[in-house]
Amino acid sequence: MSVFLSRFKQLIMSISYQERRKKRLDEYNTRVAKLKGMQADELMFEYISRKSECMFKKGIFSLFVVAIALSAIFNLWDRFFVFIEKSIRYSLDIQTENPEVARVCFILATSIMLILTVFIIILLLLMARDVKSSEYDLMIIESVQDRH
């Protein structure tokens, strides 16, 4: 029973701000110690590599955001639903006895669009988090370079 309580307490503490901060501080100190152990040339190489990686990630993220903005501006979602509406009308003209086909087409199209939208939002959040992480690492390297 005490093992369960111990693990439960550990789980609760890992969620708390103090524990997350402590863990991040330990990771920061480990990273700084590793960077301080590098030669000046090696540190410069690390900086340049990380800087170019960060710039690339920002460029890809910007391109992705612009593509999404353009699709919103040109109202691609609306055009997709107009296409679905036309296909439903066409299917109703062909099969007047069975309106169930039109309902299934609409539900399928709406589900696909909803899944696609959620996927794009998750992808944007992951990309933004990756850019933030790269910038954070770059700032650590810059602070070590200034002290070096």
Side-chain angles (χ1 to χ4, degrees):
M1 186 70 170
S2 66
V3 173
F4 174 73
L5 289 175
S6 160
R7 288 189 182 183
F8 183 71
K9 182 179 178 184
Q10 186 180 12
L11 175 70
I12 296 298
M13 290 303 289
S14 69
I15 296 172
S16 72
Y17 173 75
Q18 291 87 4
E19 285 296 315
R20 285 184 290 145
R21 185 179 181 281
K22 182 180 173 186
K23 182 180 175 186
R24 289 183 63 206
L25 183 61
D26 289 343
E27 290 171 357
Y28 171 80
N29 288 332
T30 303
R31 179 73 173 140
V32 167
K34 181 180 175 186
L35 290 170
K36 281 183 179 180
M38 293 181 179
Q39 298 290 327
D41 291 340
E42 188 179 6
L43 188 60
M44 183 57 75
F45 172 76
E46 186 74 19
Y47 174 76
I48 291 170
S49 298
R50 294 294 178 163
K51 181 80 172 179
S52 65
E53 179 183 319
C54 187
M55 299 279 288
F56 177 76
K57 287 179 182 180
K58 281 183 181 179
I60 295 296
F61 182 69
S62 298
L63 181 67
F64 196 68
V65 168
V66 166
I68 291 172
L70 285 176
S71 72
I73 289 171
F74 291 122
N75 220 354
L76 291 180
W77 298 125
D78 186 46
R79 291 183 185 186
F80 178 75
F81 278 112
V82 167
F83 169 73
I84 294 299
E85 179 187 4
K86 287 181 182 180
S87 64
I88 289 172
R89 284 187 181 162
Y90 180 70
S91 69
L92 285 176
D93 288 342
I94 292 174
Q95 293 183 347
T96 54
E97 310 125 13
N98 193 0
E100 190 68 24
V101 172
R103 193 175 77 109
V104 169
C105 280
F106 179 75
I107 290 172
L108 184 64
T110 304
S111 300
I112 290 171
M113 293 306 293
L114 187 64
I115 289 170
L116 188 62
T117 303
V118 168
F119 176 74
I120 288 172
I121 289 171
I122 290 172
L123 190 62
L124 274 175
L125 291 174
L126 290 175
M127 289 174 79
R129 190 203 252 149
D130 196 32
V131 168
K132 179 185 173 190
S133 174
S134 293
E135 287 182 341
Y136 178 75
D137 196 37
L138 191 62
M139 290 168 62
I140 292 173
I141 293 172
E142 287 173 349
S143 72
V144 170
Q145 272 185 330
D146 291 342
R147 292 187 225 161
H148 212 7

